[in-house]
Amino acid sequence: MARALRLIRRRLIGSIPVLLIVVVLTFLLLQSASGDAVDAYLLSMGGGDAAIAQSLRQSYGLDQSEIARLWLYLSSLARLDLGWSVAFGRPVADLILERLPNTLLLMGSATALAFGLGTSLGIVAGARPESTTDKVVSALSLILYAIPSFWLGLVLSIVFAVQLRWLPSSGIETIASGKSGFARAADIALHLILPVGALGVIYMALFLRVMRSAMAEVWKLDFVAFARAKGLSRSRIVLRHVARNALLPLVTMLGLQSAAMLGGSVVIESIFAIPGFGRLAQEAVTGRDTPLLIGIILTSALLVVLVNLLLDLVYALLDPRVGAAEEGA
Amino acid sequence: MLLSVENLTKRYLSGSRQTTALDDVSFTLGKGETLGLAGVSGSGKSTLARVLLRLVPADTGKVHFEGEDWLTLSGASLRRRRARMQMVFQDVLAAFNPRATVGSVLDDPLRIHSGKRARDRKQDVATLLDRVGLPTGFADRSIREISGGQRQRVAIARAIATRPSLIVLDEAVSALDVSIRETILELLVELQQERGISYLFISHDLAVLRAVSHRIAVMDAGRIVETGAASQIIDRPQSPAARALIAAVPRLVTDAR
Amino acid sequence: MTLLCSIRSLRVTYHGQANPALDFAALDIQAGGRLAIIGESGSGKTTLARAIASLLPENSKHTGEILWPARSTPLPGRDLGFVFQDPSASLNPVLTVGEQVAEGARRHLRLSWHDALRHARDLLERVQLPDPEKALKAYPHQFSGGQRQRIAIAAALAAQPSILVADEITSALDMVVQAQLVALLNELVRDAGMTLIFVTHDIALASGLADRLAILKQGKLVETGAAAKVLAEPESSYTRTLIASHRSLSSPSLLRDTSA
Amino acid sequence: MTLLRQTIGTGEGAIGAAILSLLILIAVFASVLCPGDPLNIAGPPLTPPFTQGSLPLGTDSLGRDLLAGVVHGTRTSLSVGLAAAAAAMAFGVCIGLAAGFSGGIVDEALMRLVDAFQIVPGFLLALAFVSVAGSSAHVIVIAIALGAWAGPARLMRAQVLSIREREYVAAARVIGAGPAEIVFKEILPNALPPVLSLSAIIVAAAILTESALSFLGLSDPNVVTWGSMMSEGRNVLRSATWLSIFPGLALLTTVIGIYLLGEGVTKAIGRGRPGS
Amino acid sequence: AMVAMPALPRAKEKASGGRLIVAADSEPKNLNPAIVASNGVFFIASKVIEPLAEAAFNGEGGLARRLATSWEGSEDGLSVTFKLREGVKWHDGRAFTSADVAYSAMNVWKPLQNLGRIVFANLEAVDTPDANTAVFRFSRPTPLQLIRNALPVVSSVIPKHVFDGTDIASNPANTKLIGTGPFRFAEYKPGEFYRLTRNEDYWGKGEPKLDEIIFRVLPDRAGAASALEAEEIHLAAFSAVPLSDLDRISKVPGIEVISKGYEALTYQLVVEINHRRKELADLKVRQAIAHAINKKFVIDTIFLGHATASTGPVPKSASEFYDPDVTTYPFDTAKANALLDEAGYAKGSNGVRFSLKLRPAPYFNETKQFGYYLRQALAAIGIDATLVNADAAAHQKAVYTDHDFDLAVGPPVFRGDPAISTTILVQSGIPAGVPFSNQGGYENKALDALVAKASETIDAEARTEIYRQFQKIVTADLPLINVAEWGFITVARNTVLNVADNPRWAVSNWADTALRS
Ligand SMILES: Nc1ncnc2c1ncn2[C@@H]1O[C@H](COP(=O)(O)OP(=O)(O)OP(=O)(O)O)[C@@H](O)[C@H]1O
Ligand SMILES: Nc1ncnc2c1ncn2[C@@H]1O[C@H](COP(=O)(O)OP(=O)(O)OP(=O)(O)O)[C@@H](O)[C@H]1O
Ligand SMILES: [Mg+2]
Ligand SMILES: [Mg+2]
């Protein structure tokens, strides 16, 4: 436990320079953009004259030099202040906290779906490499992998929401329904099915394939032959010896994919009108809302860092050899 | 004295655990002499070889080789001097770049050290192959297409290519089949007598060491616990480590029990 | 001694290989005997051992017969224990030693996990692993090569099989450890009255342990018979070469001038 | 060359190579198969497929020939995917090599940069980059590469660190090889294959990313891409499904082809590796 | 069911309260229509905050009374007197008085509002002789015609007691609106919805008819159609259902496609021209481009018939000002080519005369599609145009600040009077950075003089005549090319009653909108 805490602290401190790089790069990226927050704002107003633009720039501090603004931003960040969103006229932290639960819900469910279903089917396919089951499952997973998630999202919504009317077409919950407690949770779950499906399927396919090929590799190892020589049942060999070891690369993979999944949610959130990070980011970019975009990217990055940290702990639980290397370090 | 090693110490840190792989090791090696180095697994034999070859740095200690303070050499001068001390590795396959051909393996040291043109080096490669008993046509073979025994011959050819005065052989014959092992050992002895090369011959098999060594040193837990003439160590071992090694050599029992 | 197993016209070919890895007319194994299978690298030793244990890999085809006159074909794990060459690869790195030793007992002896683990503890004690209680909860990487091979032997013996196949179990280890393992094996087999099939490339090692030898060369059985007879009066020239190339402490030095 | 033969020897590799060769042929001969600008209006809008001989796949809502779009889209999609992957690979390999070989503070700094790019959602980055820099083909390529180079860099570094400790590198040092020779002759050629085998999945992902960007309206308007075709098709997804089906199928086939080829290569490399 | 629904007969059907759910595609940061006079804001805010008058199909002068009951200009054009409605209450219970109007005009419309800054540029003071009278005083003669035409857009009244003494731009009431309208602002969940509830104290008798309006945020264009079909929403305005999907959705039972209700919200499809480019400074080249555009194709294929071809800078729907008797440019590629040859830009060996950078505005699908079309149309006359896609902010900056374009496709809005937002598109002397203005470097002294004269002409007829003149000059000299003008489409479930019963329906107060039970 103490070791885990030490690991957490070390990793969090270690990620500070990384997050700093993220912040500075994002800042520079938006600085090099054509058009600034005022241009975007004037546009949303339907026009305005040069004097308005000038006074707006002054009030947003956009008339200062880039270095000065970066410094200002970083020093407020050091006080854990994420700044003020120009496009929304609200504190960035509020906006992020408002959207974070939806994103976490979407990502979490999609990850759970992708990982759960992906590994299970991966085990089914990998239990007998090169068997017919394996070939069919692998081929299907390849097709699912290659279907763009936005297209899948649109089709799912048409089929299940518009044609069959089984599920709501968009949103995170029934608007202004006044539901609470369990009824609300059920309502949200219902709304999540389609977006989670659209987002999760591609990763499910990916996890399936990784699991399958990892199992194929494990099958070749001596300890599997030894397990066979011990006369163990096939299911025990598949689950306890082969799948258990094949899970390790999958955990690593999950960490690497967490950032990609966050990115993938941009399109899904816009198709299913889910107010999450992806859509907020899109609005931040179109609004040239530097503090907001940095805030989002920073939070996403932090999220990825945390997920990876968590996965490292899980990995250490799954692989006893890791603990040895970390011991006392 | 060709090589003299004084008080070499080397510690490895893995995590918080510290392993003393070499603990105050000293010995000397004369020209044309073979020193057999015996010891159980983990006693520090390979570490000693790697320190001598300047593949890992020593913590403390001195090495004099051909009259030079060997451990202080660096950069280009070290690279030039490397011609004088060569090594043959245990894992016959891992010691070669998987993309190499036999010819390129032998050409590399010649290119680096001989200063000859490519055409002349071709001839030298052929001579080397011939010397270790391989047909000249082997030059074009990929290193992966030849047998283990042949590979070890190539490794020996590579080691003698720069005309070294010392070759360190780390378990150079342990992975070979007995019939091949014998011919390789013979080749090594022949080369020594021909060129006056000194060997530091590492093995955990005392029977092998006895065949090729003038003297034998026994290592245990990073220390040299016993040194002496080969016959003396085998006939009158003093240390428990040496006795255990001797007892472990399987004896061919030809009479019915 | 009774005949345990008789092999007739066995021919094993691996997928994609032109020549069979194993191809010979006949080999008999006696119950309670100790058979050493000897040969150089690639001669088919492992293939033969696996064939006997009906553990040939899926990418192989075999013809011929392996008959068990006095009994049914032994089931690997239950009637026949198998120990592999590489002790660092034959244990699952992510499962505890206890579980890996106990799982065979649990399946074949139908023990509860609790009982199987107790049984595993006893086995670890029998293979002379230090602190067997603690070892149950430890993982393979926490042991040395020789210790891992002891664990593997314990796991192979978990269901108290009557046959033990040991495939070059010492070739990855140093000689001191090798000597200890061979002594252990000797003791275990003697105590339990097991049939031992011992695979090695070292004819001397075999000579100290086995009562019968089978010598393989490129998939062919070049000689077989009682150990004493084969070693004393080898029939094939190959056996003679093997004996001749054996180097012992008393073999003459290769150095002509020992005064240097 | 032998790798190619080995790759085709695997089932996946054969199918992948076949699909990809076909696609490359289509891409190369796009202007021969469907001459003229595929963005030109060629007929009445929303002509259904298989109804008019000259417009076999029908037209989109502006009356542009769908077949021409799909055919020319092959060129853009493949070249964007390949260019992005090549850029990501080249950059990643250089950074990974530099980090792995130099060690110390340089390694530390480079790896923090790699971390930074790996923890930022790649698509967010691409989205921001294209929005900011304008959606022309090369910007899109850079944007996708930005989100993809960190993986190869990390793998390259791991490879270098591992190969640095191999016996044959020690052997090279023993014969007196200099650092440059060791990096470029001993380490790089052996470190590269597993890194390169990532490229298939990067190309596939790049093509999908490009289509998702197009879907959000961030594509180069001067060329056809499957993504932008699907994006336009979605407005009429219900009444003119074919508008998104055909480019979608093309995309699907391409991604599958590349993925299979990649698996074939990986398998072939695995087989060719000594000792396995 | 694609009909312009006659609204009146339906109003007699039985309706009882209910919740109307409407699709919204944007979430304006500042929802205060007194500051931001844009359709995105009005769409939501017009139900809460009312103007002095609203556009009407058959009101006097095209206007219906809201907070003002009458308006009268003085002879000299230096003052306008508004009589205000009595008994009106703000949503917080306070009484609405002339002070609110004076405050809104002097402190918000004139200094802060994007359009009010033009219309009320010369407003000097607002006198409030009594609680129900507001007299606007101008420093220079200001045409009543302009004021009247602008009223629905520029005159949203906000409560003085809420804003006075605060920083108006950051007042929380800019998002939590307080007005006099039929609906109160109840709730905003960012990214999800706005909720408005019935104002029990509304001055209109028996209004509003609905209990609640919910604006559900659906950023994806395909989303609105799906939600309509899935009966999750009742109505999607502003062509939230893409034109190309209308044909299909009109056949869905229970759904109606309505093209009425946007008559006073005409958008114009315009090719903006950078006159700094040597070639484009040549009138012959501009004429050639005008001739190269097949307006019929644009109307039929891009707008699927939901638009009309333009003849000039004033749309046909503005019948008061519209002059059909102007120079026209029929589609004629041969003539266009001849003009270009004449101008001295011969085709090169590759068939190209010169190359251009073409920036279609990203706001509408139609402007982008027209960009594709224009590229091809120009290719046909030997002009090679490269399309540049940029997002809104970048487009804005490139065209209106940096002038980094040769041709641009823009969608300006005609807001009832040419002086509000049309003349600015061709007038010279506008500083860089002003969106939707002449940033093409076009300069025509005669035109500038005409515009200046119109701003001081009090007599409506004379002023109208000046604008007819204006149209003639613009079409003859082509500072920009007007291609088409369009209104939007509303798609609604047929349970929604009284849809599109005024020419600015989507942005009006929906007091009489009802749901059939
Ligand atoms: N790179 C390393 N990092 C940490 N410890 C090491 C390293 N190399 C060797 N050791 C440790 O140093 C000790 C000596 O190892 P060395 O390889 O020299 O032994 P050896 O005598 O060559 O053994 P073997 O006969 O098995 O080759 C061992 O305990 C080993 O675990
Ligand atoms: N799984 C396999 N697939 C293909 N060929 C195999 C396989 N296992 C063994 N072979 C081949 O069969 C032949 C005999 O192999 P086997 O492993 O039985 O030899 P061995 O005597 O055990 O050798 P070693 O001493 O190296 O273990 C060799 O040529 C080998 O390459
Ligand atoms: Mg060693
Ligand atoms: Mg074997």
mmCIF file of all heavy atoms in Angstrom, chain D residues 14 17 19 22 35 52 58 65 84 95 99 108 116 120 139 142 159 183 198 209 222 239 241 254 275:
data_model
loop_
_atom_site.group_PDB
_atom_site.id
_atom_site.type_symbol
_atom_site.label_atom_id
_atom_site.label_comp_id
_atom_site.label_asym_id
_atom_site.label_seq_id
_atom_site.Cartn_x
_atom_site.Cartn_y
_atom_site.Cartn_z
ATOM 1 N N ALA D 14 -1.429 -12.046 -47.760
ATOM 2 C CA ALA D 14 -1.829 -12.212 -49.153
ATOM 3 C C ALA D 14 -3.076 -11.392 -49.449
ATOM 4 O O ALA D 14 -3.129 -10.631 -50.417
ATOM 5 C CB ALA D 14 -2.067 -13.685 -49.450
ATOM 6 N N ALA D 17 -2.265 -7.649 -49.184
ATOM 7 C CA ALA D 17 -1.467 -7.175 -50.314
ATOM 8 C C ALA D 17 -2.332 -7.074 -51.565
ATOM 9 O O ALA D 17 -2.221 -6.114 -52.331
ATOM 10 C CB ALA D 17 -0.294 -8.109 -50.553
ATOM 11 N N ILE D 19 -5.633 -6.565 -51.735
ATOM 12 C CA ILE D 19 -6.528 -5.408 -51.620
ATOM 13 C C ILE D 19 -5.756 -4.124 -51.869
ATOM 14 O O ILE D 19 -6.170 -3.252 -52.644
ATOM 15 C CB ILE D 19 -7.176 -5.365 -50.219
ATOM 16 C CG1 ILE D 19 -8.109 -6.565 -50.045
ATOM 17 C CG2 ILE D 19 -7.949 -4.073 -50.021
ATOM 18 C CD1 ILE D 19 -8.764 -6.634 -48.682
ATOM 19 N N LEU D 22 -4.663 -3.477 -55.455
ATOM 20 C CA LEU D 22 -5.801 -3.026 -56.242
ATOM 21 C C LEU D 22 -6.052 -1.539 -55.991
ATOM 22 O O LEU D 22 -6.204 -0.731 -56.915
ATOM 23 C CB LEU D 22 -7.045 -3.845 -55.875
ATOM 24 C CG LEU D 22 -8.275 -3.519 -56.693
ATOM 25 C CD1 LEU D 22 -8.099 -4.004 -58.117
ATOM 26 C CD2 LEU D 22 -9.512 -4.134 -56.071
ATOM 27 N N PRO D 35 -11.660 10.321 -65.891
ATOM 28 C CA PRO D 35 -10.949 11.528 -66.269
ATOM 29 C C PRO D 35 -11.692 12.777 -65.790
ATOM 30 O O PRO D 35 -12.902 12.743 -65.577
ATOM 31 C CB PRO D 35 -10.898 11.471 -67.793
ATOM 32 C CG PRO D 35 -11.571 10.213 -68.198
ATOM 33 C CD PRO D 35 -12.249 9.615 -67.023
ATOM 34 N N GLN D 52 -27.954 4.824 -64.450
ATOM 35 C CA GLN D 52 -27.490 5.516 -65.636
ATOM 36 C C GLN D 52 -26.106 4.999 -65.974
ATOM 37 O O GLN D 52 -25.219 4.986 -65.109
ATOM 38 C CB GLN D 52 -27.425 7.010 -65.347
ATOM 39 C CG GLN D 52 -28.014 7.841 -66.464
ATOM 40 C CD GLN D 52 -28.074 9.299 -66.039
ATOM 41 O OE1 GLN D 52 -28.631 9.646 -65.020
ATOM 42 N NE2 GLN D 52 -27.484 10.137 -66.844
ATOM 43 N N GLY D 58 -24.193 6.701 -59.510
ATOM 44 C CA GLY D 58 -25.088 7.820 -59.258
ATOM 45 C C GLY D 58 -24.335 9.098 -58.944
ATOM 46 O O GLY D 58 -23.118 9.189 -59.124
ATOM 47 N N ASP D 65 -20.216 13.093 -59.857
ATOM 48 C CA ASP D 65 -20.177 11.654 -60.114
ATOM 49 C C ASP D 65 -19.596 10.925 -58.900
ATOM 50 O O ASP D 65 -18.465 11.166 -58.494
ATOM 51 C CB ASP D 65 -19.304 11.411 -61.355
ATOM 52 C CG ASP D 65 -19.233 9.934 -61.716
ATOM 53 O OD1 ASP D 65 -19.824 9.119 -60.968
ATOM 54 O OD2 ASP D 65 -18.603 9.615 -62.728
ATOM 55 N N ALA D 84 0.933 10.738 -43.751
ATOM 56 C CA ALA D 84 0.874 10.993 -42.315
ATOM 57 C C ALA D 84 1.658 9.921 -41.564
ATOM 58 O O ALA D 84 2.437 10.224 -40.651
ATOM 59 C CB ALA D 84 -0.574 11.016 -41.841
ATOM 60 N N ILE D 95 13.357 10.573 -33.103
ATOM 61 C CA ILE D 95 13.302 10.966 -31.692
ATOM 62 C C ILE D 95 13.624 9.762 -30.807
ATOM 63 O O ILE D 95 14.405 9.855 -29.863
ATOM 64 C CB ILE D 95 11.902 11.511 -31.339
ATOM 65 C CG1 ILE D 95 11.623 12.783 -32.128
ATOM 66 C CG2 ILE D 95 11.781 11.758 -29.845
ATOM 67 C CD1 ILE D 95 12.363 13.993 -31.639
ATOM 68 N N ALA D 99 16.717 9.532 -28.328
ATOM 69 C CA ALA D 99 16.481 9.380 -26.890
ATOM 70 C C ALA D 99 17.155 8.114 -26.375
ATOM 71 O O ALA D 99 17.876 8.131 -25.378
ATOM 72 C CB ALA D 99 14.988 9.333 -26.616
ATOM 73 N N GLU D 108 15.700 12.060 -21.188
ATOM 74 C CA GLU D 108 14.651 12.498 -20.267
ATOM 75 C C GLU D 108 13.760 13.553 -20.926
ATOM 76 O O GLU D 108 12.538 13.438 -20.958
ATOM 77 C CB GLU D 108 15.332 13.061 -19.008
ATOM 78 C CG GLU D 108 14.430 13.319 -17.842
ATOM 79 C CD GLU D 108 13.791 12.040 -17.314
ATOM 80 O OE1 GLU D 108 14.336 10.925 -17.534
ATOM 81 O OE2 GLU D 108 12.743 12.161 -16.703
ATOM 82 N N ALA D 116 4.054 13.968 -23.447
ATOM 83 C CA ALA D 116 3.095 15.054 -23.654
ATOM 84 C C ALA D 116 2.211 14.742 -24.849
ATOM 85 O O ALA D 116 0.994 14.929 -24.802
ATOM 86 C CB ALA D 116 3.823 16.369 -23.860
ATOM 87 N N VAL D 120 -2.080 13.563 -24.702
ATOM 88 C CA VAL D 120 -3.101 14.436 -25.282
ATOM 89 C C VAL D 120 -3.882 13.633 -26.311
ATOM 90 O O VAL D 120 -3.288 13.002 -27.170
ATOM 91 C CB VAL D 120 -2.448 15.661 -25.955
ATOM 92 C CG1 VAL D 120 -3.485 16.437 -26.733
ATOM 93 C CG2 VAL D 120 -1.811 16.532 -24.910
ATOM 94 N N VAL D 139 -1.628 20.302 -44.182
ATOM 95 C CA VAL D 139 -1.924 20.579 -42.767
ATOM 96 C C VAL D 139 -2.566 19.350 -42.127
ATOM 97 O O VAL D 139 -2.237 18.960 -40.998
ATOM 98 C CB VAL D 139 -2.852 21.802 -42.635
ATOM 99 C CG1 VAL D 139 -3.379 21.910 -41.214
ATOM 100 C CG2 VAL D 139 -2.121 23.062 -43.028
ATOM 101 N N ILE D 142 0.047 16.783 -41.407
ATOM 102 C CA ILE D 142 0.838 17.111 -40.219
ATOM 103 C C ILE D 142 0.004 16.876 -38.957
ATOM 104 O O ILE D 142 0.485 16.308 -37.977
ATOM 105 C CB ILE D 142 1.325 18.579 -40.280
ATOM 106 C CG1 ILE D 142 2.284 18.740 -41.450
ATOM 107 C CG2 ILE D 142 1.992 18.983 -38.973
ATOM 108 C CD1 ILE D 142 2.697 20.172 -41.705
ATOM 109 N N GLN D 159 13.234 -0.355 -28.180
ATOM 110 C CA GLN D 159 14.022 -1.253 -29.018
ATOM 111 C C GLN D 159 15.505 -0.953 -28.897
ATOM 112 O O GLN D 159 16.327 -1.847 -28.733
ATOM 113 C CB GLN D 159 13.593 -1.081 -30.478
ATOM 114 C CG GLN D 159 12.311 -1.808 -30.829
ATOM 115 C CD GLN D 159 12.545 -3.285 -30.924
ATOM 116 O OE1 GLN D 159 13.481 -3.736 -31.551
ATOM 117 N NE2 GLN D 159 11.714 -4.062 -30.282
ATOM 118 N N VAL D 183 25.347 2.478 -34.045
ATOM 119 C CA VAL D 183 23.956 2.936 -34.169
ATOM 120 C C VAL D 183 23.382 2.524 -35.514
ATOM 121 O O VAL D 183 22.303 1.943 -35.594
ATOM 122 C CB VAL D 183 23.869 4.466 -34.009
ATOM 123 C CG1 VAL D 183 22.463 4.937 -34.333
ATOM 124 C CG2 VAL D 183 24.231 4.862 -32.596
ATOM 125 N N LEU D 198 4.387 -1.238 -36.893
ATOM 126 C CA LEU D 198 3.320 -0.376 -36.369
ATOM 127 C C LEU D 198 2.672 0.430 -37.483
ATOM 128 O O LEU D 198 1.557 0.917 -37.346
ATOM 129 C CB LEU D 198 3.914 0.645 -35.392
ATOM 130 C CG LEU D 198 4.124 0.320 -33.941
ATOM 131 C CD1 LEU D 198 4.599 1.563 -33.223
ATOM 132 C CD2 LEU D 198 2.817 -0.151 -33.340
ATOM 133 N N THR D 209 -8.842 8.813 -39.204
ATOM 134 C CA THR D 209 -8.821 10.152 -38.613
ATOM 135 C C THR D 209 -9.152 11.205 -39.662
ATOM 136 O O THR D 209 -9.931 12.124 -39.415
ATOM 137 C CB THR D 209 -7.426 10.459 -38.025
ATOM 138 O OG1 THR D 209 -7.086 9.408 -37.132
ATOM 139 C CG2 THR D 209 -7.420 11.773 -37.288
ATOM 140 N N ASN D 222 -10.443 21.278 -52.051
ATOM 141 C CA ASN D 222 -10.035 21.163 -53.448
ATOM 142 C C ASN D 222 -9.840 19.724 -53.911
ATOM 143 O O ASN D 222 -9.538 19.496 -55.070
ATOM 144 C CB ASN D 222 -8.751 21.958 -53.683
ATOM 145 C CG ASN D 222 -8.969 23.419 -53.403
ATOM 146 O OD1 ASN D 222 -9.695 24.087 -54.118
ATOM 147 N ND2 ASN D 222 -8.392 23.896 -52.319
ATOM 148 N N SER D 239 -32.562 9.297 -47.342
ATOM 149 C CA SER D 239 -33.175 9.241 -48.666
ATOM 150 C C SER D 239 -32.176 8.827 -49.743
ATOM 151 O O SER D 239 -32.582 8.315 -50.775
ATOM 152 C CB SER D 239 -33.785 10.598 -49.018
ATOM 153 O OG SER D 239 -32.878 11.629 -48.733
ATOM 154 N N THR D 241 -29.057 6.870 -49.283
ATOM 155 C CA THR D 241 -28.067 6.162 -48.465
ATOM 156 C C THR D 241 -26.785 5.878 -49.226
ATOM 157 O O THR D 241 -25.709 5.861 -48.639
ATOM 158 C CB THR D 241 -28.668 4.830 -47.998
ATOM 159 O OG1 THR D 241 -30.011 5.067 -47.625
ATOM 160 C CG2 THR D 241 -27.919 4.274 -46.807
ATOM 161 N N THR D 254 -10.269 -0.438 -47.529
ATOM 162 C CA THR D 254 -8.892 0.035 -47.410
ATOM 163 C C THR D 254 -8.324 -0.272 -46.029
ATOM 164 O O THR D 254 -7.226 -0.802 -45.898
ATOM 165 C CB THR D 254 -8.841 1.553 -47.645
ATOM 166 O OG1 THR D 254 -9.542 1.839 -48.841
ATOM 167 C CG2 THR D 254 -7.427 2.028 -47.744
ATOM 168 N N GLY D 275 15.657 -17.504 -33.374
ATOM 169 C CA GLY D 275 15.369 -18.058 -32.050
ATOM 170 C C GLY D 275 13.915 -18.085 -31.696
ATOM 171 O O GLY D 275 13.563 -18.406 -30.576
#
